Tab-separated table of all heavy atoms in Angstrom:
chain	number	residue	atom	x	y	z
D	8	MET	N	13.961	15.525	22.055
D	8	MET	CA	13.252	15.055	20.882
D	8	MET	C	13.076	13.537	20.968
D	8	MET	O	13.991	12.814	21.324
D	8	MET	CB	14.047	15.419	19.633
D	8	MET	CG	13.356	15.044	18.374
D	8	MET	SD	14.224	15.797	17.001
D	8	MET	CE	13.580	14.842	15.707
D	9	ALA	N	11.911	13.072	20.659
D	9	ALA	CA	11.605	11.646	20.756
D	9	ALA	C	12.212	10.878	19.589
D	9	ALA	O	12.268	11.363	18.474
D	9	ALA	CB	10.103	11.448	20.767
D	10	GLU	N	12.650	9.668	19.894
D	10	GLU	CA	13.165	8.779	18.859
D	10	GLU	C	12.145	7.666	18.643
D	10	GLU	O	11.556	7.168	19.599
D	10	GLU	CB	14.481	8.162	19.287
D	10	GLU	CG	15.641	9.122	19.318
D	10	GLU	CD	16.927	8.385	19.652
D	10	GLU	OE1	17.293	7.469	18.893
D	10	GLU	OE2	17.520	8.722	20.680
D	11	TYR	N	11.964	7.289	17.393
D	11	TYR	CA	11.005	6.250	17.047
D	11	TYR	C	11.664	5.167	16.208
D	11	TYR	O	12.598	5.416	15.469
D	11	TYR	CB	9.840	6.836	16.239
D	11	TYR	CG	8.977	7.780	17.020
D	11	TYR	CD1	9.196	9.154	16.991
D	11	TYR	CD2	7.917	7.310	17.784
D	11	TYR	CE1	8.402	10.024	17.709
D	11	TYR	CE2	7.114	8.176	18.504
D	11	TYR	CZ	7.356	9.523	18.463
D	11	TYR	OH	6.562	10.371	19.180
D	12	GLU	N	11.125	3.965	16.323
D	12	GLU	CA	11.464	2.911	15.382
D	12	GLU	C	10.245	2.725	14.494
D	12	GLU	O	9.108	2.971	14.915
D	12	GLU	CB	11.845	1.617	16.090
D	12	GLU	CG	10.754	0.993	16.924
D	12	GLU	CD	11.184	-0.325	17.548
D	12	GLU	OE1	11.747	-1.176	16.843
D	12	GLU	OE2	10.954	-0.477	18.751
D	13	PHE	N	10.478	2.333	13.264
D	13	PHE	CA	9.399	2.227	12.288
D	13	PHE	C	9.290	0.814	11.753
D	13	PHE	O	10.282	0.089	11.662
D	13	PHE	CB	9.644	3.197	11.132
D	13	PHE	CG	9.532	4.635	11.531
D	13	PHE	CD1	10.644	5.326	11.980
D	13	PHE	CD2	8.324	5.298	11.495
D	13	PHE	CE1	10.554	6.646	12.370
D	13	PHE	CE2	8.217	6.609	11.878
D	13	PHE	CZ	9.333	7.297	12.316
D	14	GLN	N	8.076	0.453	11.396
D	14	GLN	CA	7.807	-0.825	10.749
D	14	GLN	C	6.944	-0.514	9.530
D	14	GLN	O	5.876	0.095	9.652
D	14	GLN	CB	7.084	-1.763	11.708
D	14	GLN	CG	6.819	-3.124	11.141
D	14	GLN	CD	6.122	-4.026	12.133
D	14	GLN	OE1	5.493	-3.577	13.074
D	14	GLN	NE2	6.223	-5.323	11.894
D	15	ARG	N	7.412	-0.910	8.355
D	15	ARG	CA	6.678	-0.644	7.118
D	15	ARG	C	6.315	-1.971	6.458
D	15	ARG	O	7.136	-2.884	6.413
D	15	ARG	CB	7.525	0.189	6.172
D	15	ARG	CG	7.792	1.564	6.699
D	15	ARG	CD	8.704	2.357	5.771
D	15	ARG	NE	8.941	3.684	6.325
D	15	ARG	CZ	9.961	3.997	7.096
D	15	ARG	NH1	10.858	3.103	7.406
D	15	ARG	NH2	10.085	5.222	7.563
D	16	PHE	N	5.100	-2.043	5.937
D	16	PHE	CA	4.692	-3.243	5.225
D	16	PHE	C	3.547	-2.930	4.276
D	16	PHE	O	2.927	-1.868	4.352
D	16	PHE	CB	4.322	-4.374	6.195
D	16	PHE	CG	3.272	-4.018	7.209
D	16	PHE	CD1	1.942	-4.264	6.959
D	16	PHE	CD2	3.628	-3.442	8.417
D	16	PHE	CE1	0.975	-3.939	7.901
D	16	PHE	CE2	2.677	-3.116	9.357
D	16	PHE	CZ	1.345	-3.362	9.095
D	17	TRP	N	3.316	-3.839	3.351
D	17	TRP	CA	2.250	-3.716	2.357
D	17	TRP	C	1.130	-4.679	2.704
D	17	TRP	O	1.379	-5.789	3.177
D	17	TRP	CB	2.770	-4.078	0.974
D	17	TRP	CG	3.708	-3.073	0.398
D	17	TRP	CD1	5.058	-3.014	0.577
D	17	TRP	CD2	3.357	-1.981	-0.434
D	17	TRP	NE1	5.574	-1.951	-0.112
D	17	TRP	CE2	4.553	-1.295	-0.742
D	17	TRP	CE3	2.168	-1.515	-0.954
D	17	TRP	CZ2	4.577	-0.167	-1.554
D	17	TRP	CZ3	2.191	-0.393	-1.769
D	17	TRP	CH2	3.384	0.264	-2.051
D	18	LEU	N	-0.098	-4.256	2.452
D	18	LEU	CA	-1.251	-5.141	2.614
D	18	LEU	C	-1.927	-5.269	1.251
D	18	LEU	O	-2.146	-4.262	0.567
D	18	LEU	CB	-2.237	-4.565	3.625
D	18	LEU	CG	-1.717	-4.483	5.060
D	18	LEU	CD1	-2.693	-3.725	5.938
D	18	LEU	CD2	-1.494	-5.871	5.613
D	19	PRO	N	-2.257	-6.486	0.844
D	19	PRO	CA	-2.875	-6.678	-0.468
D	19	PRO	C	-4.312	-6.156	-0.498
D	19	PRO	O	-4.945	-5.972	0.547
D	19	PRO	CB	-2.841	-8.192	-0.662
D	19	PRO	CG	-2.803	-8.750	0.716
D	19	PRO	CD	-2.066	-7.746	1.554
D	20	ARG	N	-4.797	-5.951	-1.689
D	20	ARG	CA	-6.164	-5.421	-1.824
D	20	ARG	C	-7.217	-6.428	-1.412
D	20	ARG	O	-8.373	-6.081	-1.203
D	20	ARG	CB	-6.410	-4.948	-3.249
D	20	ARG	CG	-6.431	-6.057	-4.253
D	20	ARG	CD	-6.606	-5.518	-5.638
D	20	ARG	NE	-7.039	-6.589	-6.518
D	20	ARG	CZ	-7.513	-6.402	-7.700
D	20	ARG	NH1	-7.621	-5.187	-8.182
D	20	ARG	NH2	-7.880	-7.418	-8.433
D	21	THR	N	-6.824	-7.682	-1.270
D	21	THR	CA	-7.777	-8.721	-0.872
D	21	THR	C	-8.124	-8.660	0.612
D	21	THR	O	-9.101	-9.278	1.037
D	21	THR	CB	-7.211	-10.117	-1.203
D	21	THR	OG1	-5.939	-10.257	-0.570
D	21	THR	CG2	-7.054	-10.303	-2.700
D	22	GLU	N	-7.337	-7.923	1.410
D	22	GLU	CA	-7.624	-7.767	2.835
D	22	GLU	C	-8.782	-6.783	3.024
D	22	GLU	O	-8.754	-5.676	2.478
D	22	GLU	CB	-6.405	-7.241	3.590
D	22	GLU	CG	-5.257	-8.212	3.675
D	22	GLU	CD	-5.548	-9.411	4.548
D	22	GLU	OE1	-6.318	-9.278	5.530
D	22	GLU	OE2	-5.003	-10.474	4.249
D	23	SER	N	-9.755	-7.165	3.806
D	23	SER	CA	-10.900	-6.278	4.048
D	23	SER	C	-10.512	-5.158	5.013
D	23	SER	O	-9.516	-5.261	5.734
D	23	SER	CB	-12.062	-7.080	4.645
D	23	SER	OG	-11.742	-7.499	5.965
D	24	ARG	N	-11.307	-4.109	5.018
D	24	ARG	CA	-11.057	-2.996	5.943
D	24	ARG	C	-11.104	-3.475	7.384
D	24	ARG	O	-10.313	-3.051	8.224
D	24	ARG	CB	-12.101	-1.896	5.744
D	24	ARG	CG	-11.945	-1.140	4.469
D	24	ARG	CD	-13.042	-0.131	4.339
D	24	ARG	NE	-12.532	1.142	4.833
D	24	ARG	CZ	-13.250	2.232	4.926
D	24	ARG	NH1	-14.506	2.228	4.582
D	24	ARG	NH2	-12.715	3.338	5.369
D	25	GLN	N	-12.028	-4.363	7.676
D	25	GLN	CA	-12.160	-4.882	9.040
D	25	GLN	C	-10.921	-5.682	9.434
D	25	GLN	O	-10.434	-5.571	10.567
D	25	GLN	CB	-13.408	-5.741	9.167
D	25	GLN	CG	-13.671	-6.181	10.584
D	25	GLN	CD	-15.005	-6.881	10.730
D	25	GLN	OE1	-15.736	-7.045	9.765
D	25	GLN	NE2	-15.321	-7.294	11.928
D	26	ALA	N	-10.373	-6.477	8.516
D	26	ALA	CA	-9.173	-7.261	8.816
D	26	ALA	C	-7.975	-6.343	9.047
D	26	ALA	O	-7.171	-6.575	9.953
D	26	ALA	CB	-8.876	-8.233	7.677
D	27	VAL	N	-7.869	-5.290	8.256
D	27	VAL	CA	-6.777	-4.326	8.423
D	27	VAL	C	-6.919	-3.611	9.764
D	27	VAL	O	-5.945	-3.439	10.501
D	27	VAL	CB	-6.749	-3.319	7.258
D	27	VAL	CG1	-5.761	-2.196	7.524
D	27	VAL	CG2	-6.409	-4.022	5.956
D	28	ARG	N	-8.122	-3.209	10.093
D	28	ARG	CA	-8.365	-2.530	11.375
D	28	ARG	C	-7.987	-3.429	12.546
D	28	ARG	O	-7.343	-3.008	13.498
D	28	ARG	CB	-9.828	-2.105	11.482
D	28	ARG	CG	-10.131	-1.338	12.755
D	28	ARG	CD	-11.515	-0.731	12.748
D	28	ARG	NE	-12.549	-1.640	12.328
D	28	ARG	CZ	-13.305	-2.358	13.170
D	28	ARG	NH1	-13.133	-2.249	14.462
D	28	ARG	NH2	-14.227	-3.156	12.709
D	29	ARG	N	-8.370	-4.702	12.468
D	29	ARG	CA	-8.033	-5.661	13.517
D	29	ARG	C	-6.518	-5.801	13.677
D	29	ARG	O	-6.000	-5.835	14.788
D	29	ARG	CB	-8.642	-7.025	13.184
D	29	ARG	CG	-9.359	-7.656	14.332
D	29	ARG	CD	-10.048	-8.949	13.946
D	29	ARG	NE	-10.804	-8.760	12.702
D	29	ARG	CZ	-10.934	-9.660	11.745
D	29	ARG	NH1	-10.395	-10.835	11.859
D	29	ARG	NH2	-11.623	-9.424	10.651
D	30	LEU	N	-5.817	-5.862	12.560
D	30	LEU	CA	-4.357	-5.973	12.579
D	30	LEU	C	-3.730	-4.758	13.250
D	30	LEU	O	-2.841	-4.879	14.094
D	30	LEU	CB	-3.830	-6.111	11.154
D	30	LEU	CG	-2.326	-6.110	11.016
D	30	LEU	CD1	-1.794	-7.518	11.194
D	30	LEU	CD2	-1.924	-5.554	9.673
D	31	LEU	N	-4.211	-3.557	12.899
D	31	LEU	CA	-3.648	-2.332	13.459
D	31	LEU	C	-3.983	-2.173	14.942
D	31	LEU	O	-3.147	-1.730	15.731
D	31	LEU	CB	-4.128	-1.122	12.661
D	31	LEU	CG	-3.670	-1.086	11.199
D	31	LEU	CD1	-4.293	0.089	10.478
D	31	LEU	CD2	-2.165	-1.057	11.092
D	32	VAL	N	-5.186	-2.540	15.325
D	32	VAL	CA	-5.580	-2.471	16.741
D	32	VAL	C	-4.736	-3.441	17.565
D	32	VAL	O	-4.265	-3.096	18.650
D	32	VAL	CB	-7.090	-2.754	16.910
D	32	VAL	CG1	-7.439	-3.009	18.365
D	32	VAL	CG2	-7.905	-1.596	16.371
D	33	ASP	N	-4.515	-4.636	17.048
D	33	ASP	CA	-3.689	-5.619	17.748
D	33	ASP	C	-2.258	-5.100	17.913
D	33	ASP	O	-1.664	-5.227	18.984
D	33	ASP	CB	-3.687	-6.941	16.985
D	33	ASP	CG	-2.876	-8.005	17.684
D	33	ASP	OD1	-3.169	-8.290	18.863
D	33	ASP	OD2	-1.934	-8.538	17.057
D	34	ALA	N	-1.699	-4.507	16.859
D	34	ALA	CA	-0.339	-3.959	16.931
D	34	ALA	C	-0.255	-2.848	17.974
D	34	ALA	O	0.732	-2.730	18.695
D	34	ALA	CB	0.093	-3.436	15.567
D	35	ALA	N	-1.305	-2.039	18.075
D	35	ALA	CA	-1.312	-0.933	19.032
D	35	ALA	C	-1.486	-1.423	20.473
D	35	ALA	O	-0.744	-1.025	21.364
D	35	ALA	CB	-2.426	0.048	18.679
D	36	GLU	N	-2.447	-2.301	20.687
D	36	GLU	CA	-2.767	-2.736	22.048
D	36	GLU	C	-1.730	-3.668	22.648
D	36	GLU	O	-1.440	-3.597	23.837
D	36	GLU	CB	-4.135	-3.417	22.075
D	36	GLU	CG	-5.294	-2.461	21.903
D	36	GLU	CD	-6.638	-3.161	21.997
D	36	GLU	OE1	-6.673	-4.399	22.060
D	36	GLU	OE2	-7.648	-2.449	21.998
D	37	HIS	N	-1.169	-4.549	21.841
D	37	HIS	CA	-0.297	-5.585	22.384
D	37	HIS	C	1.190	-5.336	22.161
D	37	HIS	O	2.012	-5.953	22.827
D	37	HIS	CB	-0.671	-6.950	21.815
D	37	HIS	CG	-2.082	-7.340	22.119
D	37	HIS	ND1	-2.508	-7.660	23.392
D	37	HIS	CD2	-3.184	-7.421	21.334
D	37	HIS	CE1	-3.797	-7.942	23.368
D	37	HIS	NE2	-4.236	-7.803	22.135
D	38	HIS	N	1.521	-4.469	21.221
D	38	HIS	CA	2.924	-4.288	20.885
D	38	HIS	C	3.393	-2.838	20.938
D	38	HIS	O	4.545	-2.565	20.639
D	38	HIS	CB	3.214	-4.872	19.497
D	38	HIS	CG	2.800	-6.309	19.377
D	38	HIS	ND1	3.453	-7.332	20.028
D	38	HIS	CD2	1.768	-6.885	18.713
D	38	HIS	CE1	2.847	-8.478	19.749
D	38	HIS	NE2	1.816	-8.233	18.961
D	39	GLY	N	2.507	-1.916	21.274
D	39	GLY	CA	2.900	-0.525	21.464
D	39	GLY	C	3.092	0.288	20.200
D	39	GLY	O	3.641	1.392	20.254
D	40	TRP	N	2.653	-0.200	19.048
D	40	TRP	CA	2.799	0.533	17.796
D	40	TRP	C	1.653	1.519	17.627
D	40	TRP	O	0.549	1.302	18.120
D	40	TRP	CB	2.806	-0.423	16.608
D	40	TRP	CG	4.000	-1.309	16.548
D	40	TRP	CD1	4.065	-2.603	16.960
D	40	TRP	CD2	5.299	-0.973	16.071
D	40	TRP	NE1	5.333	-3.090	16.761
D	40	TRP	CE2	6.114	-2.119	16.208
D	40	TRP	CE3	5.865	0.188	15.537
D	40	TRP	CZ2	7.448	-2.135	15.835
D	40	TRP	CZ3	7.200	0.160	15.156
D	40	TRP	CH2	7.971	-0.985	15.312
D	41	GLU	N	1.907	2.607	16.926
D	41	GLU	CA	0.842	3.543	16.545
D	41	GLU	C	0.953	3.787	15.045
D	41	GLU	O	2.027	3.672	14.454
D	41	GLU	CB	0.937	4.851	17.323
D	41	GLU	CG	2.189	5.630	17.098
D	41	GLU	CD	2.268	6.866	17.987
D	41	GLU	OE1	1.806	6.830	19.131
D	41	GLU	OE2	2.828	7.869	17.514
D	42	LEU	N	-0.167	4.109	14.452
D	42	LEU	CA	-0.206	4.334	13.009
D	42	LEU	C	0.456	5.661	12.686
D	42	LEU	O	0.070	6.704	13.200
D	42	LEU	CB	-1.655	4.335	12.517
D	42	LEU	CG	-1.848	4.512	11.017
D	42	LEU	CD1	-1.230	3.338	10.259
D	42	LEU	CD2	-3.326	4.619	10.697
D	43	ASP	N	1.485	5.623	11.860
D	43	ASP	CA	2.168	6.827	11.422
D	43	ASP	C	1.607	7.275	10.079
D	43	ASP	O	1.327	8.442	9.875
D	43	ASP	CB	3.672	6.577	11.321
D	43	ASP	CG	4.449	7.814	10.934
D	43	ASP	OD1	4.320	8.835	11.650
D	43	ASP	OD2	5.177	7.773	9.928
D	44	ARG	N	1.430	6.324	9.176
D	44	ARG	CA	0.961	6.666	7.837
D	44	ARG	C	0.305	5.448	7.204
D	44	ARG	O	0.764	4.333	7.372
D	44	ARG	CB	2.171	7.074	6.999
D	44	ARG	CG	1.836	7.894	5.809
D	44	ARG	CD	3.102	8.488	5.229
D	44	ARG	NE	3.472	9.652	6.020
D	44	ARG	CZ	4.661	10.229	5.986
D	44	ARG	NH1	5.604	9.758	5.220
D	44	ARG	NH2	4.922	11.277	6.722
D	45	LEU	N	-0.779	5.682	6.493
D	45	LEU	CA	-1.426	4.639	5.716
D	45	LEU	C	-1.763	5.237	4.364
D	45	LEU	O	-2.425	6.275	4.304
D	45	LEU	CB	-2.693	4.137	6.398
D	45	LEU	CG	-3.334	2.918	5.731
D	45	LEU	CD1	-3.890	1.979	6.777
D	45	LEU	CD2	-4.396	3.310	4.753
D	46	ARG	N	-1.278	4.605	3.320
D	46	ARG	CA	-1.555	5.108	1.979
D	46	ARG	C	-2.318	4.044	1.218
D	46	ARG	O	-1.899	2.892	1.152
D	46	ARG	CB	-0.268	5.446	1.247
D	46	ARG	CG	-0.552	5.972	-0.128
D	46	ARG	CD	0.621	6.647	-0.750
D	46	ARG	NE	0.218	7.139	-2.054
D	46	ARG	CZ	1.063	7.482	-2.997
D	46	ARG	NH1	2.356	7.444	-2.769
D	46	ARG	NH2	0.621	7.900	-4.161
D	47	LEU	N	-3.446	4.432	0.657
D	47	LEU	CA	-4.279	3.542	-0.139
D	47	LEU	C	-4.034	3.863	-1.615
D	47	LEU	O	-4.216	5.007	-2.041
D	47	LEU	CB	-5.754	3.733	0.213
D	47	LEU	CG	-6.766	2.902	-0.560
D	47	LEU	CD1	-6.540	1.418	-0.310
D	47	LEU	CD2	-8.174	3.292	-0.163
D	48	PHE	N	-3.614	2.882	-2.375
D	48	PHE	CA	-3.314	3.073	-3.790
D	48	PHE	C	-4.543	2.787	-4.643
D	48	PHE	O	-5.452	2.076	-4.208
D	48	PHE	CB	-2.148	2.157	-4.192
D	48	PHE	CG	-0.831	2.619	-3.632
D	48	PHE	CD1	-0.433	2.225	-2.371
D	48	PHE	CD2	-0.016	3.467	-4.353
D	48	PHE	CE1	0.767	2.657	-1.847
D	48	PHE	CE2	1.189	3.907	-3.834
D	48	PHE	CZ	1.584	3.504	-2.581
D	49	PRO	N	-4.581	3.337	-5.867
D	49	PRO	CA	-5.754	3.142	-6.742
D	49	PRO	C	-6.089	1.668	-7.011
D	49	PRO	O	-7.242	1.335	-7.223
D	49	PRO	CB	-5.360	3.850	-8.036
D	49	PRO	CG	-4.368	4.876	-7.618
D	49	PRO	CD	-3.622	4.264	-6.464
D	50	ASP	N	-5.093	0.791	-6.991
D	50	ASP	CA	-5.365	-0.631	-7.242
D	50	ASP	C	-5.844	-1.367	-5.982
D	50	ASP	O	-6.091	-2.558	-6.024
D	50	ASP	CB	-4.142	-1.319	-7.836
D	50	ASP	CG	-2.951	-1.376	-6.892
D	50	ASP	OD1	-3.037	-0.812	-5.777
D	50	ASP	OD2	-1.932	-1.980	-7.269
D	51	GLY	N	-5.946	-0.653	-4.841
D	51	GLY	CA	-6.479	-1.247	-3.617
D	51	GLY	C	-5.428	-1.670	-2.603
D	51	GLY	O	-5.768	-2.013	-1.478
D	52	ARG	N	-4.146	-1.685	-2.988
D	52	ARG	CA	-3.094	-2.042	-2.041
D	52	ARG	C	-2.949	-0.939	-1.003
D	52	ARG	O	-3.234	0.212	-1.272
D	52	ARG	CB	-1.748	-2.208	-2.746
D	52	ARG	CG	-1.654	-3.374	-3.654
D	52	ARG	CD	-0.305	-3.426	-4.345
D	52	ARG	NE	-0.104	-2.167	-5.085
D	52	ARG	CZ	1.078	-1.596	-5.289
D	52	ARG	NH1	2.173	-2.135	-4.808
D	52	ARG	NH2	1.179	-0.479	-5.961
D	53	ARG	N	-2.474	-1.311	0.188
D	53	ARG	CA	-2.226	-0.335	1.252
D	53	ARG	C	-0.771	-0.433	1.680
D	53	ARG	O	-0.255	-1.528	1.890
D	53	ARG	CB	-3.106	-0.615	2.461
D	53	ARG	CG	-4.575	-0.440	2.221
D	53	ARG	CD	-5.334	-0.915	3.458
D	53	ARG	NE	-6.759	-0.783	3.302
D	53	ARG	CZ	-7.553	-1.757	2.890
D	53	ARG	NH1	-7.067	-2.931	2.579
D	53	ARG	NH2	-8.847	-1.556	2.786
D	54	ARG	N	-0.132	0.718	1.828
D	54	ARG	CA	1.211	0.766	2.399
D	54	ARG	C	1.059	1.355	3.792
D	54	ARG	O	0.577	2.469	3.968
D	54	ARG	CB	2.142	1.624	1.547
D	54	ARG	CG	3.578	1.594	2.083
D	54	ARG	CD	4.523	2.328	1.194
D	54	ARG	NE	4.144	3.737	1.161
D	54	ARG	CZ	4.570	4.590	0.234
D	54	ARG	NH1	5.353	4.192	-0.723
D	54	ARG	NH2	4.189	5.849	0.291
D	55	VAL	N	1.483	0.592	4.800
D	55	VAL	CA	1.283	0.969	6.189
D	55	VAL	C	2.639	1.241	6.840
D	55	VAL	O	3.581	0.481	6.640
D	55	VAL	CB	0.564	-0.165	6.963
D	55	VAL	CG1	0.369	0.201	8.416
D	55	VAL	CG2	-0.761	-0.505	6.303
D	56	THR	N	2.700	2.335	7.586
D	56	THR	CA	3.888	2.639	8.382
D	56	THR	C	3.442	2.805	9.828
D	56	THR	O	2.584	3.632	10.124
D	56	THR	CB	4.573	3.935	7.898
D	56	THR	OG1	4.874	3.812	6.517
D	56	THR	CG2	5.851	4.188	8.674
D	57	LEU	N	4.017	1.975	10.699
D	57	LEU	CA	3.749	2.060	12.127
D	57	LEU	C	4.989	2.615	12.808
D	57	LEU	O	6.103	2.454	12.314
D	57	LEU	CB	3.439	0.676	12.697
D	57	LEU	CG	2.259	-0.075	12.095
D	57	LEU	CD1	2.152	-1.456	12.736
D	57	LEU	CD2	0.973	0.693	12.267
D	58	ARG	N	4.787	3.266	13.947
D	58	ARG	CA	5.931	3.752	14.704
D	58	ARG	C	5.742	3.428	16.173
D	58	ARG	O	4.624	3.284	16.670
D	58	ARG	CB	6.160	5.241	14.506
D	58	ARG	CG	5.145	6.116	15.183
D	58	ARG	CD	5.449	7.575	14.945
D	58	ARG	NE	4.519	8.387	15.712
D	58	ARG	CZ	4.555	9.686	15.773
D	58	ARG	NH1	5.476	10.346	15.098
D	58	ARG	NH2	3.692	10.353	16.494
D	59	ARG	N	6.896	3.308	16.860
D	59	ARG	CA	6.893	3.022	18.288
D	59	ARG	C	8.041	3.821	18.897
D	59	ARG	O	9.149	3.833	18.380
D	59	ARG	CB	7.077	1.527	18.497
D	59	ARG	CG	7.173	1.093	19.916
D	59	ARG	CD	7.028	-0.389	20.090
D	59	ARG	NE	8.017	-1.154	19.350
D	59	ARG	CZ	8.054	-2.477	19.303
D	59	ARG	NH1	7.131	-3.188	19.930
D	59	ARG	NH2	8.970	-3.104	18.626
D	60	ARG	N	7.749	4.467	19.992
D	60	ARG	CA	8.757	5.296	20.655
D	60	ARG	C	9.845	4.423	21.266
D	60	ARG	O	9.567	3.404	21.888
D	60	ARG	CB	8.093	6.125	21.745
D	60	ARG	CG	8.985	7.170	22.310
D	60	ARG	CD	8.232	8.045	23.280
D	60	ARG	NE	8.920	9.318	23.340
D	60	ARG	CZ	8.388	10.432	23.719
D	60	ARG	NH1	7.129	10.455	24.077
D	60	ARG	NH2	9.085	11.538	23.735
D	61	ILE	N	11.088	4.832	21.081
D	61	ILE	CA	12.227	4.142	21.675
D	61	ILE	C	12.464	4.745	23.048
D	61	ILE	O	12.624	5.959	23.179
D	61	ILE	CB	13.493	4.294	20.809
D	61	ILE	CG1	13.277	3.655	19.449
D	61	ILE	CG2	14.689	3.689	21.524
D	61	ILE	CD1	14.412	3.893	18.481
D	62	ILE	N	12.458	3.905	24.058
D	62	ILE	CA	12.666	4.374	25.425
D	62	ILE	C	14.077	3.987	25.842
D	62	ILE	O	14.425	2.806	25.891
D	62	ILE	CB	11.627	3.759	26.386
D	62	ILE	CG1	10.227	4.178	25.954
D	62	ILE	CG2	11.915	4.172	27.821
D	62	ILE	CD1	9.124	3.485	26.704
D	63	ARG	N	14.881	4.983	26.113
D	63	ARG	CA	16.259	4.758	26.544
D	63	ARG	C	16.296	4.715	28.064
D	63	ARG	O	15.755	5.593	28.733
D	63	ARG	CB	17.166	5.883	26.051
D	63	ARG	CG	17.137	6.088	24.570
D	63	ARG	CD	18.147	5.219	23.904
D	63	ARG	NE	18.162	5.505	22.479
D	63	ARG	CZ	18.330	4.590	21.560
D	63	ARG	NH1	18.507	3.341	21.909
D	63	ARG	NH2	18.328	4.915	20.297
D	64	VAL	N	16.947	3.719	28.607
D	64	VAL	CA	17.060	3.575	30.055
D	64	VAL	C	18.391	4.167	30.495
D	64	VAL	O	19.437	3.822	29.970
D	64	VAL	CB	16.974	2.091	30.466
D	64	VAL	CG1	17.127	1.947	31.962
D	64	VAL	CG2	15.662	1.499	29.995
D	65	ARG	N	18.320	5.073	31.438
D	65	ARG	CA	19.534	5.677	31.990
D	65	ARG	C	19.776	5.146	33.383
D	65	ARG	O	18.847	4.964	34.166
D	65	ARG	CB	19.375	7.196	32.088
D	65	ARG	CG	19.469	7.897	30.788
D	65	ARG	CD	19.673	9.369	31.057
D	65	ARG	NE	18.994	10.138	30.045
D	65	ARG	CZ	18.784	11.428	30.128
D	65	ARG	NH1	19.153	12.091	31.214
D	65	ARG	NH2	18.185	12.070	29.152
D	66	SER	N	21.020	4.951	33.698
D	66	SER	CA	21.380	4.477	35.020
D	66	SER	C	21.191	5.613	36.031
D	66	SER	O	21.564	6.751	35.789
D	66	SER	CB	22.829	4.028	35.052
D	66	SER	OG	23.182	3.653	36.356
D	67	THR	N	20.606	5.283	37.159
D	67	THR	CA	20.427	6.283	38.222
D	67	THR	C	21.487	6.139	39.292
D	67	THR	O	21.488	6.878	40.270
D	67	THR	CB	19.042	6.130	38.867
D	67	THR	OG1	18.900	4.808	39.356
D	67	THR	CG2	17.946	6.436	37.873
D	68	LEU	N	22.383	5.198	39.099
D	68	LEU	CA	23.463	4.991	40.061
D	68	LEU	C	24.564	6.023	39.820
D	68	LEU	O	24.923	6.318	38.705
D	68	LEU	CB	24.047	3.585	39.908
D	68	LEU	CG	23.058	2.448	40.114
D	68	LEU	CD1	23.737	1.129	39.819
D	68	LEU	CD2	22.534	2.449	41.523
D	69	THR	N	25.074	6.546	40.873
D	69	THR	CA	26.188	7.504	40.764
D	69	THR	C	27.493	6.773	41.024
D	69	THR	O	27.574	5.937	41.939
D	69	THR	CB	26.045	8.679	41.758
D	69	THR	OG1	25.958	8.133	43.062
D	69	THR	CG2	24.798	9.474	41.456
D	70	PRO	N	28.520	7.060	40.246
D	70	PRO	CA	29.805	6.392	40.485
D	70	PRO	C	30.429	6.882	41.782
D	70	PRO	O	30.339	8.054	42.142
D	70	PRO	CB	30.650	6.791	39.279
D	70	PRO	CG	29.976	7.952	38.675
D	70	PRO	CD	28.556	7.943	39.113
D	71	HIS	N	31.076	5.991	42.488
D	71	HIS	CA	31.703	6.343	43.772
D	71	HIS	C	33.148	6.685	43.579
D	71	HIS	O	33.908	6.204	42.911
D	71	HIS	CB	31.590	5.181	44.762
D	71	HIS	CG	30.182	5.030	45.228
D	71	HIS	ND1	29.276	4.231	44.561
D	71	HIS	CD2	29.501	5.565	46.246
D	71	HIS	CE1	28.116	4.287	45.188
D	71	HIS	NE2	28.232	5.103	46.228
């Protein structure tokens, strides 16, 4: 089963759709985040949840 780390934040209603899209694309392309959930509230605020897979490194060395 995959493990994820999450980042949650609010965006004000004054942010345009294009600005929000740019922010999310930048997070995906440069930082490995993907959109998990976006909720748009009646007053225009957005609650954004991003997720990124946690990669665990295992040692391939065998003890002697």
